[in-house]
Amino acid sequence: GYPSGVILAWESDETIATRDFAVGASTPAIRPLLLLDGQQRLTSLSAVLRGEPVTVRGRVRPIEILFNLEHPDELTFVTDVNENSDDDDNSVDADLDIQQRFRRMTFVVASKALESLPTWVRVSDVFQNQDSLEILEAKGFDIATLDKQLRQKYTKRIQDVKSIQDYQYRMDILERSKSYEEVTEIFVRVNSLGAKLRSSDLALAQITARWRGSLKLFRDYQDEVEKRGFDLDLGVILRALVAVVTSQSKFLTVNSIKLTDLQDGWERAKKSLEFALNFVSANIGIDSQTMLSSPMLLITTAYWADRQDYTISNDEQRAFCQWFLLANAKGRYSRGSSETLLDQDLATLRDGGNASDLTARLRIQVGRLEFTTDELEGRNSRSGAFKTMFLAFRSQDAVDWKTKLKISAKHHGKSDVIEYHHIFPQAYMKKNSFTDKAKIDDIANLAFIGAETNKKISDRAPSNYRGDFDSDDLSAQLIDFDVADEAKDFEKFLEHRRLAIVNHLNNFLGLKEEPS
């Protein structure tokens, strides 16, 4: 009988006889209700009431909930719940610890240790229409010899769990006359302390409410793309769909797009996204989303290919590659409203423009395309320049200093995954009383090596570890310890390497170098 929040829904404009919605719907033959707030609660409860564990996207194992037949009668305050324990790590000591921590709780996320105990039953078993006594027998209780009072206590508690299915939710329904903007605003206000509703969430609800089975199509494609190293949010995929259908990226138009146009557009969107992924991987050398400053770049690429009807000249291909690298390096879609900036680029292409026109628009935005030392100062590992530095080094066959593996964002194995390393290690600089974190994290102090190499270096001074590695491998990442290899000359090292990086980036991007 505890309150579980209000369900917030929006009445759709269309009458549809289907239950295959992204975020839930009412019964067939009436106007569907798009579920705006309460999705996680109802999705989890729906699974449990069907006698199933709760499947969470991105988690390998479903979540099973256990009920404690011996939970205390009085309220218990628990502050140290760990719901992420790995079943494979349950030792005898861990089992005892779990029992001590959870014995005063009523419901917990299952672990093998707790599930093996007779007084902990799976909630999914309770809702699979099993008789209470059958559940107790399955847990090893001998009903014939079980104390009468204890049997009554356990069976009543199991029935109390079953009564959860009779819970009556309060529901607020927004009338269909409310606009897209109003609904979004209402949700943000109502749910200000919870997850924010994104425009893509509402767009997904509107599309899947009208197109039966589309959610599975979108998620299946999302899974395919993820296997290729691009973990794209559904919002990015939907925005590509909207772009090829409407030649703009805003989701406000979703509800006015005809169902047949959405279905036809989906085939076009998949084809254009496939091309975009192949193009950036094969032609530009970006084979992982970690190398992108924004996934919006893929949408522009997809729309460009669609507008070109996949017939592209050599000059246009070269020009687009340069625009892509420049836009990625300069953070084109991170300098304001990404949606507005994307729409500007889509409009340029829609109106007959090409890659050179995109570059001209980028120049207006950033002022100058060439990198300068002043511009690079203070940039860190989150910047587009840092990602471009990786691409530039990789194009010159830079390797891990210890293993000689070429640097790549797609290596597997803890030892070989490429990390960025502070050339003058953070711990070393701290020991030498240098505390300017911005300078320590400056990309001029970062190099790309594997975890084991990083561990070998540890907190040693460059003067101490430089002899462990081939000087050519250091030079491939523009590291010149002859300039400086001690903390006292750290800033001199930064200035020298920053200029080298700037010239290397400009050369990689086909731009002019900065005078030394």
Side-chain angles (χ1 to χ4, degrees):
Y2 279 20
S4 186
V6 178
I7 300 301
L8 180 62
W10 181 25
E11 188 175 4
S12 172
D13 279 330
E14 299 188 20
T15 301
I16 311 171
T18 177
R19 296 175 64 188
D20 186 20
F21 297 156
V23 287
S26 60
T27 56
I30 64 173
R31 294 185 185 278
L33 302 178
L34 304 182
L35 185 58
L36 301 178
D37 190 21
Q39 177 180 352
Q40 291 180 335
R41 278 169 286 158
L42 295 190
T43 300
S44 299
L45 277 172
S46 174
V48 171
L49 296 182
R50 293 195 306 271
E52 302 172 359
V54 180
T55 300
V56 179
R57 184 171 177 82
R59 182 172 176 136
V60 177
R61 288 188 293 266
I63 294 174
E64 183 70 68
I65 306 298
L66 298 181
F67 171 66
N68 183 10
L69 293 172
E70 281 292 347
H71 68 78
D73 290 321
E74 75 280 2
L75 288 177
T76 302
F77 293 92
V78 180
T79 60
D80 61 344
V81 181
N82 176 15
E83 297 183 348
N84 297 316
S85 59
D86 192 330
D87 291 345
D88 297 332
D89 294 333
N90 288 332
S91 62
V92 174
D93 291 340
D95 289 348
L96 292 174
D97 182 57
I98 289 174
Q99 293 177 44
Q100 292 168 357
R101 291 169 53 226
F102 291 142
R103 66 186 178 184
R104 289 167 56 99
M105 298 180 64
T106 306
F107 295 98
V108 299
V109 174
S111 69
K112 287 180 181 178
L114 283 182
E115 196 170 341
S116 66
L117 300 177
T119 55
W120 288 89
V121 300
R122 292 188 299 185
V123 172
S124 56
D125 289 342
V126 174
F127 287 103
Q128 284 176 350
N129 296 319
Q130 291 191 37
D131 180 79
S132 299
L133 294 180
E134 290 179 355
I135 293 174
L136 294 178
E137 286 181 333
K139 292 299 294 185
F141 290 102
D142 185 345
I143 302 301
T145 60
L146 184 62
D147 179 80
K148 182 179 178 181
Q149 287 187 332
L150 196 59
R151 182 176 66 187
Q152 290 176 341
K153 172 184 172 181
Y154 288 170
T155 54
K156 181 183 183 303
R157 288 186 167 185
I158 291 173
Q159 289 303 315
D160 287 343
V161 174
K162 282 190 176 182
S163 69
I164 291 174
Q165 63 191 353
D166 300 323
Y167 181 87
Q168 295 293 313
Y169 269 104
R170 177 185 158 195
M171 196 164 188
D172 284 347
I173 301 176
L174 305 179
E175 61 271 19
R176 61 181 181 273
S177 61
K178 287 277 190 293
S179 69
Y180 186 102
E181 296 90 340
E182 281 182 295
V183 171
T184 304
E185 173 68 12
I186 289 170
F187 182 90
V188 170
R189 287 177 179 272
V190 169
N191 201 37
S192 60
L193 295 181
K196 296 292 189 294
L197 178 72
R198 300 171 302 173
S199 58
S200 59
D201 296 329
L202 200 49
L204 181 63
Q206 291 177 308
I207 292 172
T208 55
R210 290 189 289 140
W211 182 1
R212 183 183 179 89
S214 60
L215 181 60
K216 186 176 187 306
L217 292 177
F218 300 149
R219 284 186 170 163
D220 285 348
Y221 183 71
Q222 183 184 34
D223 290 340
E224 289 178 24
V225 171
E226 185 177 1
K227 293 174 183 176
R228 299 169 59 174
F230 292 86
D231 185 14
L232 297 183
D233 185 89
L234 275 181
V236 175
I237 295 172
L238 288 182
R239 204 176 289 277
L241 168 60
V242 171
V244 298
V245 173
T246 67
S247 291
Q248 56 86 49
S249 69
K250 289 184 171 63
F251 288 122
L252 298 177
T253 62
V254 163
N255 211 35
S256 63
I257 303 175
K258 294 179 181 178
L259 177 58
T260 53
D261 290 340
L262 282 173
Q263 293 169 331
D264 293 341
W266 174 237
E267 295 304 317
R268 285 177 57 199
K270 278 199 302 182
K271 180 179 179 180
S272 64
L273 275 174
E274 285 295 321
F275 177 91
L277 293 171
N278 290 332
F279 186 87
V280 299
S281 178
N283 292 43
I284 301 178
I286 294 177
D287 52 9
S288 169
Q289 189 170 337
T290 58
M291 294 296 100
L292 292 176
S293 60
S294 170
M296 297 292 191
L297 289 159
L298 295 175
I299 298 176
T300 306
T301 306
Y303 184 75
W304 167 72
D306 184 76
R307 294 294 295 182
Q308 294 275 333
D309 197 24
Y310 304 96
T311 304
I312 301 165
S313 68
N314 286 329
D315 287 344
E316 178 65 7
Q317 182 272 147
R318 284 190 291 268
F320 192 86
C321 284
Q322 185 182 45
W323 170 82
F324 191 104
L325 287 169
L326 285 167
N328 192 43
K330 294 287 185 174
R332 162 67 172 158
Y333 299 121
S334 305
R335 294 172 173 246
S337 168
S338 56
E339 191 177 69
T340 299
L341 294 168
L342 177 59
D343 273 349
Q344 291 175 0
D345 290 339
L346 296 183
T348 297
L349 297 171
R350 180 195 65 214
D351 297 338
N354 56 22
S356 296
D357 296 313
L358 292 177
T359 302
R361 180 170 287 282
L362 177 64
R363 189 186 295 275
I364 292 173
Q365 178 192 27
V366 301
R368 59 180 294 171
L369 300 179
E370 296 84 3
F371 276 102
T372 65
T373 52
D374 288 343
E375 180 185 2
L376 212 60
E377 186 173 357
R379 295 286 190 100
N380 55 36
S381 61
R382 295 186 297 274
S383 69
F386 179 75
K387 300 175 190 297
T388 307
M389 184 172 78
F390 179 91
L391 296 173
F393 288 168
R394 191 178 65 176
S395 71
Q396 298 297 318
D397 295 329
V399 299
D400 174 74
W401 304 338
K402 178 173 176 283
T403 65
K404 307 303 180 183
L405 271 175
K406 290 185 179 180
I407 63 172
S408 168
K410 302 190 77 170
H411 287 325
H412 296 282
K414 291 183 179 179
S415 299
D416 296 328
V417 170
I418 295 299
E419 303 173 340
Y420 66 83
H421 155 69
H422 291 80
I423 300 167
F424 282 70
Q426 298 179 83
Y428 165 70
M429 297 304 292
K430 185 176 181 180
K431 285 191 299 185
N432 284 272
S433 302
F434 192 95
T435 58
D436 190 333
K437 183 169 173 53
K439 288 184 177 179
I440 294 174
D441 290 340
D442 191 288
I443 66 174
N445 190 37
L446 301 179
F448 303 100
I449 56 176
E452 285 298 314
T453 309
N454 202 352
K455 187 183 298 184
K456 179 180 174 67
I457 292 171
S458 187
D459 62 351
R460 292 190 291 160
S463 60
N464 182 282
Y465 73 73
R466 62 184 290 186
D468 295 346
F469 306 112
D470 192 307
S471 60
D472 289 340
D473 295 338
L474 299 176
S475 297
Q477 297 197 42
L478 308 179
I479 297 170
D480 184 358
F481 284 138
D482 289 339
V483 172
D485 62 3
E486 295 285 350
K488 62 184 179 64
D489 297 318
F490 174 59
E491 294 190 61
K492 179 181 178 183
F493 174 86
L494 289 184
E495 291 177 8
H496 183 273
R497 187 165 185 257
R498 188 179 296 120
L499 176 60
I501 291 173
V502 162
N503 287 331
H504 193 63
L505 288 181
N506 288 337
N507 182 266
F508 176 69
L509 296 169
L511 304 171
K512 294 184 297 183
E513 295 187 354
E514 178 169 314
S516 57

Short mmCIF file of all heavy atoms in Angstrom, two decimals, residues 197-220:
data_model
loop_
_atom_site.label_atom_id
_atom_site.label_comp_id
_atom_site.label_asym_id
_atom_site.label_seq_id
_atom_site.Cartn_x
_atom_site.Cartn_y
_atom_site.Cartn_z
N LEU A 197 13.34 14.01 -19.86
CA LEU A 197 12.79 13.53 -21.11
C LEU A 197 13.49 14.25 -22.25
O LEU A 197 13.51 15.47 -22.32
CB LEU A 197 11.29 13.82 -21.18
CG LEU A 197 10.59 13.41 -22.48
CD1 LEU A 197 10.48 11.90 -22.55
CD2 LEU A 197 9.22 14.04 -22.57
N ARG A 198 14.09 13.50 -23.16
CA ARG A 198 14.74 14.10 -24.32
C ARG A 198 13.75 14.15 -25.47
O ARG A 198 12.79 13.39 -25.52
CB ARG A 198 15.97 13.29 -24.71
CG ARG A 198 17.03 13.19 -23.63
CD ARG A 198 18.10 12.21 -24.02
NE ARG A 198 17.53 10.89 -24.27
CZ ARG A 198 18.23 9.87 -24.75
NH1 ARG A 198 19.50 10.02 -25.06
NH2 ARG A 198 17.66 8.70 -24.95
N SER A 199 14.01 15.05 -26.39
CA SER A 199 13.12 15.14 -27.55
C SER A 199 13.10 13.84 -28.32
O SER A 199 12.08 13.46 -28.89
CB SER A 199 13.56 16.29 -28.46
OG SER A 199 14.90 16.11 -28.89
N SER A 200 14.22 13.10 -28.31
CA SER A 200 14.28 11.83 -29.03
C SER A 200 13.39 10.78 -28.36
O SER A 200 12.84 9.91 -29.03
CB SER A 200 15.72 11.32 -29.11
OG SER A 200 16.26 11.13 -27.82
N ASP A 201 13.23 10.85 -27.02
CA ASP A 201 12.36 9.91 -26.32
C ASP A 201 10.91 10.09 -26.76
O ASP A 201 10.19 9.13 -27.02
CB ASP A 201 12.45 10.12 -24.80
CG ASP A 201 13.83 9.81 -24.26
OD1 ASP A 201 14.50 8.94 -24.83
OD2 ASP A 201 14.23 10.45 -23.27
N LEU A 202 10.49 11.34 -26.84
CA LEU A 202 9.12 11.62 -27.24
C LEU A 202 8.91 11.26 -28.71
O LEU A 202 7.86 10.74 -29.10
CB LEU A 202 8.81 13.11 -27.01
CG LEU A 202 7.34 13.50 -26.93
CD1 LEU A 202 6.57 12.60 -25.97
CD2 LEU A 202 7.21 14.95 -26.52
N ALA A 203 9.92 11.53 -29.53
CA ALA A 203 9.82 11.17 -30.95
C ALA A 203 9.69 9.65 -31.11
O ALA A 203 8.90 9.16 -31.92
CB ALA A 203 11.05 11.68 -31.70
N LEU A 204 10.49 8.91 -30.32
CA LEU A 204 10.42 7.46 -30.38
C LEU A 204 9.04 6.97 -29.99
O LEU A 204 8.48 6.05 -30.61
CB LEU A 204 11.48 6.85 -29.46
CG LEU A 204 11.56 5.32 -29.42
CD1 LEU A 204 11.94 4.78 -30.79
CD2 LEU A 204 12.56 4.86 -28.37
N ALA A 205 8.45 7.59 -28.95
CA ALA A 205 7.11 7.21 -28.52
C ALA A 205 6.10 7.46 -29.63
O ALA A 205 5.22 6.63 -29.91
CB ALA A 205 6.73 7.99 -27.27
N GLN A 206 6.21 8.60 -30.29
CA GLN A 206 5.25 8.94 -31.34
C GLN A 206 5.38 8.02 -32.55
O GLN A 206 4.38 7.61 -33.14
CB GLN A 206 5.46 10.40 -31.77
CG GLN A 206 5.05 11.41 -30.70
CD GLN A 206 5.34 12.83 -31.13
OE1 GLN A 206 6.45 13.15 -31.54
NE2 GLN A 206 4.35 13.69 -31.03
N ILE A 207 6.62 7.69 -32.91
CA ILE A 207 6.83 6.82 -34.07
C ILE A 207 6.35 5.41 -33.79
O ILE A 207 5.60 4.81 -34.57
CB ILE A 207 8.32 6.81 -34.48
CG1 ILE A 207 8.74 8.18 -35.04
CG2 ILE A 207 8.59 5.73 -35.52
CD1 ILE A 207 10.22 8.31 -35.30
N THR A 208 6.76 4.85 -32.66
CA THR A 208 6.41 3.47 -32.36
C THR A 208 4.93 3.30 -32.05
O THR A 208 4.39 2.19 -32.18
CB THR A 208 7.25 2.93 -31.19
OG1 THR A 208 7.09 3.78 -30.06
CG2 THR A 208 8.72 2.86 -31.58
N ALA A 209 4.27 4.38 -31.63
CA ALA A 209 2.83 4.30 -31.39
C ALA A 209 2.07 4.11 -32.69
O ALA A 209 1.00 3.51 -32.72
CB ALA A 209 2.34 5.56 -30.68
N ARG A 210 2.63 4.61 -33.78
CA ARG A 210 1.93 4.50 -35.08
C ARG A 210 2.46 3.38 -35.95
O ARG A 210 1.80 2.94 -36.88
CB ARG A 210 2.08 5.83 -35.84
CG ARG A 210 1.29 6.97 -35.21
CD ARG A 210 1.29 8.20 -36.11
NE ARG A 210 2.60 8.85 -36.14
CZ ARG A 210 3.14 9.37 -37.22
NH1 ARG A 210 2.52 9.28 -38.39
NH2 ARG A 210 4.31 9.96 -37.16
N TRP A 211 3.68 2.92 -35.66
CA TRP A 211 4.32 1.93 -36.53
C TRP A 211 4.60 0.67 -35.71
O TRP A 211 5.57 0.59 -34.97
CB TRP A 211 5.60 2.53 -37.08
CG TRP A 211 6.36 1.65 -38.04
CD1 TRP A 211 6.01 0.40 -38.46
CD2 TRP A 211 7.61 1.96 -38.66
NE1 TRP A 211 6.96 -0.09 -39.31
CE2 TRP A 211 7.95 0.85 -39.46
CE3 TRP A 211 8.45 3.06 -38.62
CZ2 TRP A 211 9.12 0.81 -40.20
CZ3 TRP A 211 9.61 3.02 -39.36
CH2 TRP A 211 9.94 1.92 -40.16
N ARG A 212 3.77 -0.29 -35.86
CA ARG A 212 3.87 -1.54 -35.11
C ARG A 212 5.19 -2.25 -35.42
O ARG A 212 5.54 -2.45 -36.58
CB ARG A 212 2.69 -2.45 -35.45
CG ARG A 212 2.67 -3.75 -34.66
CD ARG A 212 1.51 -4.63 -35.11
NE ARG A 212 1.49 -5.88 -34.39
CZ ARG A 212 0.85 -6.06 -33.25
NH1 ARG A 212 0.16 -5.06 -32.72
NH2 ARG A 212 0.87 -7.22 -32.64
N GLY A 213 5.89 -2.64 -34.39
CA GLY A 213 7.13 -3.40 -34.56
C GLY A 213 8.36 -2.57 -34.86
O GLY A 213 9.46 -3.11 -34.99
N SER A 214 8.21 -1.24 -34.95
CA SER A 214 9.36 -0.41 -35.34
C SER A 214 10.43 -0.34 -34.26
O SER A 214 11.62 -0.23 -34.56
CB SER A 214 8.90 1.01 -35.69
OG SER A 214 8.25 1.63 -34.59
N LEU A 215 10.02 -0.44 -33.00
CA LEU A 215 11.00 -0.37 -31.92
C LEU A 215 12.02 -1.49 -32.06
O LEU A 215 13.21 -1.29 -31.87
CB LEU A 215 10.31 -0.43 -30.56
CG LEU A 215 11.24 -0.34 -29.34
CD1 LEU A 215 12.01 0.97 -29.34
CD2 LEU A 215 10.45 -0.50 -28.05
N LYS A 216 11.55 -2.69 -32.38
CA LYS A 216 12.46 -3.81 -32.56
C LYS A 216 13.39 -3.58 -33.74
O LYS A 216 14.58 -3.90 -33.70
CB LYS A 216 11.69 -5.11 -32.76
CG LYS A 216 12.59 -6.36 -32.82
CD LYS A 216 11.78 -7.63 -32.92
CE LYS A 216 12.68 -8.86 -32.80
NZ LYS A 216 13.79 -8.88 -33.75
N LEU A 217 12.87 -2.99 -34.83
CA LEU A 217 13.72 -2.67 -35.99
C LEU A 217 14.85 -1.73 -35.59
O LEU A 217 16.01 -1.94 -35.95
CB LEU A 217 12.88 -2.02 -37.09
CG LEU A 217 11.83 -2.88 -37.81
CD1 LEU A 217 11.07 -2.03 -38.81
CD2 LEU A 217 12.49 -4.06 -38.50
N PHE A 218 14.49 -0.68 -34.83
CA PHE A 218 15.48 0.31 -34.43
C PHE A 218 16.53 -0.31 -33.51
O PHE A 218 17.73 -0.08 -33.66
CB PHE A 218 14.81 1.49 -33.72
CG PHE A 218 13.79 2.21 -34.57
CD1 PHE A 218 12.68 2.82 -33.98
CD2 PHE A 218 13.92 2.28 -35.94
CE1 PHE A 218 11.75 3.49 -34.74
CE2 PHE A 218 12.98 2.94 -36.72
CZ PHE A 218 11.89 3.55 -36.12
N ARG A 219 16.08 -1.10 -32.55
CA ARG A 219 17.02 -1.67 -31.58
C ARG A 219 17.90 -2.75 -32.22
O ARG A 219 19.07 -2.89 -31.87
CB ARG A 219 16.25 -2.23 -30.38
CG ARG A 219 15.77 -1.12 -29.45
CD ARG A 219 15.13 -1.64 -28.21
NE ARG A 219 14.90 -0.55 -27.25
CZ ARG A 219 14.08 -0.62 -26.22
NH1 ARG A 219 13.41 -1.75 -25.99
NH2 ARG A 219 13.93 0.40 -25.40
N ASP A 220 17.32 -3.52 -33.13
CA ASP A 220 18.13 -4.53 -33.83
C ASP A 220 19.24 -3.85 -34.63
O ASP A 220 20.39 -4.31 -34.64
CB ASP A 220 17.26 -5.38 -34.77
CG ASP A 220 16.41 -6.38 -34.01
OD1 ASP A 220 16.65 -6.58 -32.80
OD2 ASP A 220 15.49 -6.96 -34.62
#
